[in-house]
Amino acid sequence: MWVCKSCRNATYLSAKSTRREYALAGPFRKASQKLPNYPARTRFAPSPTGYMHLGSLRTALFNYLLAKATGGQFLLRIEDTDQKRTVPGAEERICRDLEWAGLQWDEGPGVGGVHGPYRQSERTELYRKHAEDLIDSGHAYRCFCTAERLNELATARSKLGLPTDYDRTCAGIAREESRERADKGHAYIIRLKVPETYPRYEDLVYGRVGGSKGKPKIILGEQSFEDPVLIKSDGQPTYHLANVVDDHYMKITHVVRAVEWMPSTPKHLAMYQAFGWQPPAFAHVGLLQDKSHQKLSKRNLDVDIDSFRSNGVFPEALVNHVALLGWSHNEASDFLSLERLTNIFDLRFTKGNTIVNFHKLAHLQKLYGQKFIQQGGSRFEILIDGLMSVIKERQHPDTRFGFPSEAQERDYVGAVLRADAKQYTSAADFYERCQNFFRQSRTLNAVNLPEDLTDLDCQRIFRYFEQISDLNWTDENIQLAQRNLTIHMAAIRRNSGVDVVPDAADASHITHDAHALEKSGALISRYLRWAIMNLQPGPPMALSMELLGRQETLLRLQTACSHAWQEGSGPLPVEQVATSVNA
């Protein structure tokens, strides 16, 4: 891939090994979907008037991926000019959420950088200077209208069905008079004087847009102008001015943001034109909506990033999920790590809004849980920590298993995690699913006692597993005993309930009777699941029995025998069973 000399800088070369060959992108990509062949500088610019939500995480992620995929820089800028609405602690939580998601910024709060400061509240003099520059060049003007007049104007226009834009009453004030009134302390705001025609631009998602008329709309004899406020009466800048000035001085090359900002883009381009600056490239992505096609609200705690973290969602799963909301790829699977996303990222954003399907997140959560458990290491140890915390929180000490040491307990909890790795979603959900592995279970619901089993059948099942010694108590030996038991029980039913141990010929005949074996096997499996796990789902029964250990398994089978005897008829030598268990 040819690279011009000006782009052969240290940043570009250091990231070359991790970038794809953009110029070789396949013919299926439109030109606007290809990445630039130079390092992109992008930014995430949240306002600390609230916390991060799903939509803002996606905005941050897309800008992060664009920067990292091209060997560029990802900036964090805090847009805190609205001090009245600033939420205490919001900036710190935004930073924590980004770090949790793995989106580390190259410049910004806590990191620094040559283009700082990175809080807009620390850059107000810069904004005021440039607002004055626009006044001097005739592209802006001071508006001395009172709040009362502006409210009356807006109300009157609204009643006429007109847009509540401004009528440029103050635009005709001579520059000298305007300066003199400002110097005397008259309250004012500064407005942009929009051009008659807005500049057109190439949106990276929607193509050629813009070029609409900025000149006055005349309806029922009334004129209105889209002259947005740049500096408020308290001297603070609005978003329109601050983000244009900051993007220029921070050398931002690309801006990925929600489509709701698209109507503001022509005004921003008008400012770039007035300043004589080169604007960044814009990509406007669709909004995130719920299944009712309503916009996901940042005030909905269900989509607050902190709520996902608190509920045990893996940051890798959430980032993977968010990347798929409004962006497409050609990979065989949607299971994409942040590193993989960086390697395959391009600008193939989808047009239109995106319905958020949280079932997809649940699926990815399971895949990542399985991956972390199978890989072991520090992430696996964190999962053990989380599950042990839930066990201690929800399990009464009297019913918890006792272990000689914490290390042995951790080994046991880890073994249970590995046994049911495919079903892990969170520590709390895993505990609910597998709680019978973590408590001494002596209570069964007799209503769920499998039918067609007599108390003698229950005793027979117990004795089959009792014959396995502690040394041989393994998954394989338990499965072998269960297979032999299945054949034995099928033979009993074939002989009208007469308890005979099938000889080799009889066993061979039974093993070819698929229906009899299936019925006998299903009956035993259901009984074991009821007796040992109280019918709760979990790993295969043989593996579950191995994990619980011989003594605990036989004690649970003893309890089941007692229930079966109470529900059925005939004597059951419970004392003999108890003696066998405790031997």
Side-chain angles (χ1 to χ4, degrees), residues 110-181:
V111 175
V114 297
H115 302 290
Y118 296 91
R119 294 184 185 88
Q120 288 186 338
S121 59
E122 300 171 5
R123 301 168 64 89
T124 52
E125 289 304 319
L126 182 66
Y127 308 134
R128 289 172 186 154
K129 174 189 178 301
H130 283 81
E132 294 291 339
D133 289 345
L134 289 177
I135 293 175
D136 293 341
S137 65
H139 292 99
Y141 59 93
R142 296 181 186 87
C143 175
F144 296 93
C145 293
T146 63
E148 290 74 18
R149 181 187 183 272
L150 294 176
N151 288 334
E152 290 173 1
L153 179 64
T155 301
R157 287 179 177 279
S158 180
K159 289 180 179 179
L160 293 173
L162 304 177
T164 58
D165 296 326
Y166 186 54
D167 60 1
R168 277 192 182 171
T169 293
C170 295
I173 299 175
R175 194 174 303 172
E176 295 76 11
E177 180 185 347
S178 173
R179 168 62 67 183
E180 184 179 345
R181 291 175 64 175

Side-chain angles (χ1 to χ4, degrees), residues 452-490:
D452 300 330
L453 274 177
T454 66
D455 51 355
L456 292 176
D457 288 331
C458 298
Q459 185 180 358
R460 187 176 296 111
I461 293 172
F462 172 88
R463 285 175 175 161
Y464 250 87
F465 294 109
E466 180 207 13
Q467 294 172 9
I468 306 174
S469 67
D470 282 326
L471 183 62
N472 294 319
W473 191 261
T474 63
D475 181 6
E476 294 79 5
N477 289 330
I478 294 170
Q479 288 188 58
L480 178 61
Q482 188 171 344
R483 282 195 296 270
N484 293 335
L485 176 61
T486 299
I487 296 173
H488 189 176
M489 298 275 284

Side-chain angles (χ1 to χ4, degrees), residues 281-350:
F282 290 96
H284 290 93
V285 295
L287 301 177
L288 300 184
Q289 296 182 323
D290 59 23
K291 59 184 178 181
S292 302
H293 296 274
Q294 299 298 312
K295 178 185 173 183
L296 288 182
S297 172
K298 66 181 180 180
R299 293 173 177 81
N300 185 348
L301 294 179
D302 291 340
V303 296
D304 185 301
I305 301 305
D306 191 61
S307 71
F308 290 105
R309 178 171 53 239
S310 300
N311 287 319
V313 174
F314 299 123
E316 294 86 350
L318 188 61
V319 166
N320 192 162
H321 174 62
V322 167
L324 303 174
L325 301 176
W327 175 76
S328 59
H329 62 85
N330 287 335
E331 297 293 290
S333 169
D334 283 340
F335 186 52
L336 302 168
S337 66
L338 185 59
E339 180 182 7
R340 185 59 185 156
L341 285 168
T342 302
N343 290 336
I344 67 171
F345 187 72
D346 56 17
L347 303 178
R348 210 179 319 175
F349 301 118
T350 56

Side-chain angles (χ1 to χ4, degrees), residues 509-528:
H509 179 78
I510 294 172
T511 54
H512 287 86
D513 189 343
H515 177 72
L517 284 178
E518 180 180 358
K519 185 176 181 180
S520 177
L523 191 64
I524 294 169
S525 294
R526 178 174 170 78
Y527 174 78
L528 291 174

Side-chain angles (χ1 to χ4, degrees), residues 395 420 428-439 441 443-444 448 525-541 544 556:
Q395 192 70 58
D420 210 23
D429 289 345
F430 191 87
Y431 172 79
E432 289 301 318
R433 173 182 169 85
C434 295
Q435 57 183 291
N436 281 307
F437 281 103
F438 308 115
R439 66 181 182 186
S441 180
T443 304
L444 289 170
N448 295 324
S525 294
R526 178 174 170 78
Y527 174 78
L528 291 174
R529 178 69 61 182
W530 169 76
I532 298 172
M533 289 296 172
N534 223 340
L535 287 183
Q536 280 199 321
M541 277 313 305
S544 298
R556 294 185 183 195

Side-chain angles (χ1 to χ4, degrees), residues 161-212:
L162 304 177
T164 58
D165 296 326
Y166 186 54
D167 60 1
R168 277 192 182 171
T169 293
C170 295
I173 299 175
R175 194 174 303 172
E176 295 76 11
E177 180 185 347
S178 173
R179 168 62 67 183
E180 184 179 345
R181 291 175 64 175
D183 291 342
K184 289 181 178 180
H186 292 195
Y188 67 90
I189 58 177
I190 297 179
R191 292 182 181 272
L192 175 69
K193 191 174 185 179
V194 299
E196 288 194 1
T197 303
Y198 287 118
R200 292 179 65 84
Y201 71 101
E202 191 75 25
D203 189 89
L204 297 177
V205 179
Y206 290 91
R208 194 73 171 165
V209 294
S212 61

Side-chain angles (χ1 to χ4, degrees), residues 338-443:
L338 185 59
E339 180 182 7
R340 185 59 185 156
L341 285 168
T342 302
N343 290 336
I344 67 171
F345 187 72
D346 56 17
L347 303 178
R348 210 179 319 175
F349 301 118
T350 56
K351 294 181 180 179
N353 298 330
T354 301
I355 304 298
V356 178
N357 178 7
F358 287 107
H359 293 296
K360 184 71 173 180
L361 175 59
H363 172 67
L364 291 170
Q365 177 77 357
K366 278 189 176 182
L367 293 179
Y368 278 98
Q370 184 177 352
K371 174 185 176 181
F372 297 146
I373 292 171
Q374 291 176 343
Q375 284 183 342
S378 60
R379 291 304 298 270
F380 182 45
E381 294 301 319
I382 292 174
L383 296 186
I384 293 176
D385 290 337
L387 184 53
M388 288 183 67
S389 295
V390 173
I391 294 170
K392 292 175 182 178
E393 175 187 330
R394 302 190 182 185
Q395 192 70 58
H396 192 279
D398 292 342
T399 60
R400 283 176 56 197
F401 289 142
F403 292 91
S405 68
E406 183 178 341
Q408 287 181 297
E409 184 176 7
R410 291 183 67 85
D411 288 343
Y412 175 74
V413 171
V416 176
L417 279 168
R418 283 190 290 269
D420 210 23
K422 291 183 178 180
Q423 301 303 322
Y424 186 93
T425 54
S426 69
D429 289 345
F430 191 87
Y431 172 79
E432 289 301 318
R433 173 182 169 85
C434 295
Q435 57 183 291
N436 281 307
F437 281 103
F438 308 115
R439 66 181 182 186
Q440 301 175 25
S441 180
R442 299 290 182 269
T443 304

